[in-house]
């Protein structure tokens, strides 16, 4: 996080366009002779790949989860079905980004101004489905953690006056309630993200969604998804959720001390 914050501090908000390429300028506080250096897309790609390499080494399960979700998105795209998941609070989420078709028109003969008209097709957008699955899943779980936390907070009889401010996964409240919020937020996070059965339920829910649309569905021992439709067999390499989960996580203690 410190490395990312340092890089973010170096990047200024100054953007310029050179030809067809947008450039970002890098400013280093100790570089008096050359205060501004152009940061190209090649540099940014190197930065992103380096961060991904670090993440792969320190959190290999995150990488495995990312690959699992991408493969699920591709299978759902090939089968022309949306991606479903059920949140712990009971809310059903359906992700179905559609391809967009656009056309430029020039409505006035006296002006070169053009207007872009866009509309959605009936086809799913593979790139958006694949890219958005993981962040949408995480955002939905963040929203779940906030709702579970607020439920514990507002149903607590110890506090007569309850004030709370939330922005995504950030919380603010009265000072005399901070310890309660931190303690219960920790419990919520641990109960959500240390419970391996949620990903198993996610995996089962996606398979059930496929089985709902395609009746003759089976999963072989080597994790091949076999679908028979109109006497035609379709075979997909279905990702194994066990590779993401790995060994079983420790059980959640009943009392989690405030730190």
């Amino acid at each position: 996080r410190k490395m990312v914050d340092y890089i973010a501090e170096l990047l200024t908000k100054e953007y310029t366009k050179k030809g067809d390429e947008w450039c970002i300028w890098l400013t280093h506080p100790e570089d008096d002779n050359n205060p501004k250096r152009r940061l190209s897309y090649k540099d940014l790609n190197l930065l992103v790949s380096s961060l991904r390499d670090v993440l792969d080494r320190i959190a290999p399960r995150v990488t495995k989860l990312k690959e699992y979700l991408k493969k699920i998105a591709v299978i759902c795209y090939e089968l022309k079905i949306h991606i479903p998941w059920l949140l712990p609070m009971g809310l059903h989420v359906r992700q179905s980004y559609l391809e967009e078709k656009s056309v430029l028109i020039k409505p006035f003969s006296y002006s070169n101004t053009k207007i872009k008209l866009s509309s959605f097709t009936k086809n799913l957008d593979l790139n958006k489905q694949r890219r958005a699955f993981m962040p949408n899943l995480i955002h939905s779980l963040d929203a779940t953690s906030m709702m579970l936390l607020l439920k514990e907070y507002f149903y607590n009889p110890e506090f007569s006056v309850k004030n709370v401010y939330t922005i995504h996964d950030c919380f603010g409240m009265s000072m005399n309630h901070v310890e309660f919020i931190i303690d219960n937020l920790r419990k919520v996070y641990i109960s959500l993200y240390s419970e391996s059965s949620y990903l198993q339920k996610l995996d089962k829910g996606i398979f059930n969604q496929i089985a709902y649309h395609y009746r003759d569905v089976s999963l072989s021992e080597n994790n091949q998804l076999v679908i028979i439709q109109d006497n035609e067999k379709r075979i997909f390499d279905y990702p194994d959720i066990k590779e993401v989960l790995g060994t079983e996580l420790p059980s959640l203690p009943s009392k989690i001390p405030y730190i």
Side-chain angles (χ1 to χ4, degrees):
R1 179 65 181 267
K2 290 182 178 179
M3 177 177 63
V4 176
D5 289 342
Y6 176 69
I7 294 170
E9 289 177 3
L10 295 180
L11 290 175
T12 66
K13 293 184 179 180
E14 183 174 350
Y15 300 88
T16 57
K17 192 172 184 181
K18 186 177 182 181
D20 293 330
E21 181 182 3
W22 284 94
C23 307
I24 301 176
W25 295 91
L26 186 69
T27 302
H28 197 286
E30 298 178 359
D31 193 352
D32 296 331
N33 298 326
N34 187 17
K36 291 183 179 179
R37 292 176 297 175
R38 183 163 167 256
L39 187 66
S40 66
Y41 281 116
K42 184 177 180 180
D43 299 322
L44 289 175
N45 287 332
L46 178 61
L47 171 63
V48 171
S49 62
S50 299
L51 290 174
R52 283 177 176 169
D53 182 61
V54 172
L55 182 62
D56 291 345
R57 285 189 278 112
I58 64 176
R61 285 196 192 181
V62 175
T63 302
K64 290 181 179 180
L65 175 60
K66 179 181 65 176
E67 295 303 319
Y68 167 84
L69 296 178
K70 282 185 177 181
K71 290 178 181 178
I72 289 294
V74 171
I75 291 175
C76 290
Y77 169 80
E78 294 291 339
L79 297 176
K80 295 180 172 58
I81 60 176
H82 63 265
I83 303 174
W85 66 91
L86 177 66
L87 294 175
M89 61 185 177
L91 178 66
H92 289 266
V93 183
R94 295 174 45 168
Q95 177 181 295
S96 54
Y97 289 99
L98 300 177
E99 288 183 345
E100 189 176 354
K101 183 172 61 176
S102 60
V103 61
L104 287 174
I105 64 172
K106 189 178 177 182
F108 307 111
S109 59
Y110 57 84
S111 173
N112 291 325
T113 302
K114 294 181 180 180
I115 299 176
K116 181 180 179 181
L117 301 178
S118 301
S119 63
F120 292 106
T121 69
K122 295 182 179 181
N123 302 320
L124 291 170
D125 190 318
L126 174 59
N127 290 329
K128 287 185 178 180
Q129 287 288 90
R130 188 167 46 191
R131 288 198 307 263
F133 190 13
M134 186 169 189
N136 282 344
L137 176 62
I138 298 302
H139 288 321
S140 65
L141 289 173
D142 279 342
T144 299
S145 64
M146 182 184 70
M147 294 188 70
L148 293 175
L149 175 66
L150 295 182
K151 179 183 176 182
E152 291 293 325
Y153 181 56
F154 283 103
Y155 280 91
N156 189 300
E158 296 180 8
F159 308 130
S160 57
V161 178
K162 301 162 185 176
N163 295 311
V164 63
Y165 304 92
T166 63
I167 303 176
H168 300 298
D169 56 352
C170 299
F171 307 91
M173 70 292 300
S174 305
M175 284 298 296
N176 58 329
H177 298 171
V178 169
E179 184 172 334
F180 173 85
I181 290 293
I182 292 177
D183 186 36
N184 282 270
L185 181 61
R186 182 178 289 107
K187 293 178 182 177
V188 167
Y189 280 158
I190 294 177
S191 63
L192 279 179
Y193 299 114
S194 295
E195 181 55 63
S196 60
S197 63
Y198 177 73
L199 287 179
Q200 291 173 339
K201 292 176 183 177
L202 172 72
D203 182 73
K204 184 178 180 181
I206 292 172
F207 181 82
N208 290 340
Q209 171 74 1
I210 296 173
Y212 175 80
H213 288 275
Y214 297 87
R215 300 297 181 182
D216 198 346
V217 179
S218 62
L219 193 62
S220 65
E221 293 182 357
N222 57 348
N223 263 57
Q224 281 194 327
L225 182 69
V226 181
I227 297 176
I228 299 178
Q229 183 184 22
D230 299 330
N231 296 324
E232 180 183 352
K233 181 184 288 187
R234 304 177 67 182
I235 300 177
F236 301 90
D237 290 327
Y238 198 83
D240 190 357
I241 192 63
K242 294 179 182 177
E243 295 182 1
V244 179
L245 297 175
T247 57
E248 291 188 5
L249 295 170
S251 59
L252 180 66
S254 57
K255 282 290 185 178
I256 304 174
Y258 166 71
I259 299 178

